[in-house]
Amino acid sequence: MSDESGIDHRLRLAGLADLPLGEGVPAGALQKDAVLLGRLLAGAEQSGGTGEPGVSDDDVAAALSLFEDMRTALDRLETQVVIEARRRGMEWRQIASHQGMKSSQAASQRYQRLVTRLEEIRQGIR
């Protein structure tokens, strides 16, 4: 997906900004973590990457620790959107196309991997 098409998709969804986030949707936490990471990188850039005051090594370590939770939240969101797409009657080939995949089998397999990963996390296997 090119940056231009990504911008188009974001503009399309911008109209939904006034809708409240539903219970159990991890989008809020994901957004907050992304903002924190952006601030860390902006602070590191201002210090020229020298480690000068503003961003410490502990700050960078804390930022690194956010990614696994962010991946899990993103996987949950993707799973929920795929479930919604299927509920609305979208076929796997359509889902694949929107996800930049070449086959319905690839989209279905990705969904199954996400569901399996999330279930393993829920059960404490991962």
Side-chain angles (χ1 to χ4, degrees), residues 13 29 36 49 71 76 83 111:
L13 294 173
L36 292 173
R71 277 187 196 93
R76 280 193 184 108
I83 289 168
Y111 171 76

Side-chain angles (χ1 to χ4, degrees), residues 55-104:
V55 176
S56 70
D57 290 349
D58 288 339
D59 294 334
V60 173
L64 289 170
S65 71
L66 295 178
F67 285 101
E68 190 56 35
D69 286 343
M70 291 177 76
R71 277 187 196 93
T72 300
L74 198 55
D75 288 352
R76 280 193 184 108
L77 285 170
E78 183 176 348
T79 300
Q80 290 170 338
V81 173
V82 170
I83 289 168
E84 181 63 17
R86 294 292 292 157
R87 188 185 71 76
R88 290 171 179 252
M90 285 182 78
E91 296 180 12
W92 283 111
R93 66 179 169 73
Q94 294 171 295
I95 294 169
S97 174
H98 290 294
Q99 290 184 313
M101 296 177 192
K102 295 185 188 278
S103 72
S104 57

Side-chain angles (χ1 to χ4, degrees), residues 3-18:
D3 287 341
E4 185 176 317
S5 65
I7 292 169
D8 292 343
H9 298 296
R10 286 179 185 88
L11 287 173
R12 175 161 186 83
L13 294 173
L16 303 175
D18 293 335

